[in-house]
Every structure is written in C-alpha cells, then in structure tokens.
Amino acid sequence: MQRAIVFGATGGIGQAICTDLASAGWSLYVHCSQNWQKACTIAQKLSRKYPQQDFIPVKLNFLAKNDELKEFVNGLLPVNAAVFAQGITDYNFVSSQSLTRVDEILQVNLTVPVKLIGLLEPALIKNDYSRIVFLGSVYGGSGSAMESVYSTSKAGLARFAQAYAREVASANLTVNVVAPGAVNTAMNSMLAPEAMEEVKGEIPAGRLAEGKDISYWVKTLLDAQSSYLTGQTIYVSGGWLI
C-alpha cells in the first residue's frame, strides 16, 4: 500500500493535495499543527469515499522541540512519500518583526522540514521508490518586499532540495519543490481587495491559482514514472514573476 504524509493538510493547498492523492490510490497521514477537528473531518470524508485506503489524522506543532519530532516520526507507519504543504508568513518590515517571529517563520518553513526529512530518510529509502515534495513559492526565486524572511525560507527549500536530491538519488528517492504563485487561499485573503486585484492584473494567466492547480503537480511528482525528475523547483504561477 502506498502511503504519504501530507504536512499542512488542513490548509487550502493541503486539502487539494489530499483529495488528488486519495483519488490516485494513496493512503494518507492527514497532518495538522492546530486544527485537529478539521484534520479528522478530512480523514473521515476520504475514508468514506475510498474505503480500501487508510486516512489517519496526526498532529504536530512545527515549533516542537527535537525530542518531540523524533517521537512523532517513530510513531508513524512506513511512508513512501512526504509532502510539506505547511507554511507561515508575516507581512512586515524586517526591522518591525520580533526576533521570535523571525525564528518561527524559519523553523516552520525551513528548519523543521529539513529535520523531519533526516528522521524520515531511513524509512523512505527502504522502498522501491519514494518521493519528497516541498511547497515553495515564487518568492523563493524573486524575493518579496515585506516578506523577506518568508522569501528566505522558501529559497532555502529550493537549495536544500537541489543538494539533498544528489545525496539520495541512487536510492530512488526524488526531492522536488513545487513553487506556487498567488493562490486563492486563506494566506492571501489577508491582503486588501485592491491589492489582490493589482496582483491579478500582473498575472499573465489572468487569475489566481486554485488549490487543484498546485495539487496536480504534487500528484504528478509522486507518480512512479516521475523517477528522473529530482532536485528541481517547478514554478506554478500562471506566468507571474518569471
């Protein structure tokens, strides 16, 4: 049985990823950091639709200590894939951000994902093939003012994937980043309507992405036939900021 863990499964993109992977035959760990009830609801709905597969809600705060990360990974059943769709941002000038907030953004978006990969690797490389996909951002390639720390964290994921992919390619473990542009999710809903209209006007495709526009590429990268694509960052942006 193919099993993936989707970190950040309760977010807009995470939910779309779970839906697409379930339809492709994957059993899933449905992860949340805080919204346990939502993770349970997602798992229950998928279980009713795909009764031959397993859908297990799990909770882990990405601000957890190292021992908690180890305990979490040790409690998992074997997985063939890990998808990191969690992430936080903070629209602010660097000089106005607290040092604690800077630590939190880097830990949630970059540091803990890297640590979890190190902990998951022994199980992943036991499979005939395994997959890792990170959700990056166009701002990892073209930095965003007011989101300097966020941009740094997403750029770090791209470089980590590029380097780590070379370490594990011989074990048939691929490592890639899907980097969305502006997506119609709660993270972007905090922007003023006028600002969102301005962004839409800059996107050649003429619209924001929907979750399914991103989840399609995650599902494709997890397919067995995608074995020769690794270490890459794929920008899914409607032509924006290329």
Side-chain angles (χ1 to χ4, degrees), residues 84-101:
F84 290 84
Q86 87 303 326
I88 59 173
T89 190
D90 181 26
Y91 295 96
N92 221 325
F93 292 107
V94 172
S95 60
S96 299
Q97 288 176 320
S98 70
L99 299 182
T100 297
R101 191 56 174 164

Side-chain angles (χ1 to χ4, degrees), residues 117-118 121 132 159-169 173 175:
I117 289 305
E121 181 188 296
I132 295 169
R159 295 289 74 77
F160 172 75
Q162 185 183 58
Y164 184 61
R166 294 172 177 173
E167 295 182 20
V168 295
L173 170 56
V175 189

Side-chain angles (χ1 to χ4, degrees), residues 137-173:
S137 170
V138 290
Y139 290 149
S142 178
S144 171
M146 303 292 288
E147 289 184 286
S148 297
V149 181
Y150 174 82
S151 299
T152 298
S153 68
K154 295 301 184 178
L157 284 178
R159 295 289 74 77
F160 172 75
Q162 185 183 58
Y164 184 61
R166 294 172 177 173
E167 295 182 20
V168 295
S170 62
N172 295 318
L173 170 56

Side-chain angles (χ1 to χ4, degrees), residues 5-8 62 82-86 112-114 116-117 120 132-136 154:
I5 182 165
V6 180
F7 292 103
F62 268 51
V83 179
F84 290 84
Q86 87 303 326
V112 167
V114 170
L116 287 172
I117 289 305
L120 286 166
I132 295 169
V133 178
F134 297 104
L135 263 289
K154 295 301 184 178

Side-chain angles (χ1 to χ4, degrees), residues 2-44:
Q2 290 182 321
R3 180 180 289 108
I5 182 165
V6 180
F7 292 103
T10 59
I13 297 175
Q15 290 183 63
I17 290 170
C18 288
T19 298
D20 268 7
L21 292 184
S23 69
W26 287 84
S27 290
L28 300 174
Y29 276 113
V30 180
H31 164 265
C32 70
S33 291
Q34 297 179 339
N35 201 337
W36 176 248
Q37 188 54 54
K38 192 168 187 178
C40 290
T41 299
I42 293 169
Q44 290 165 2

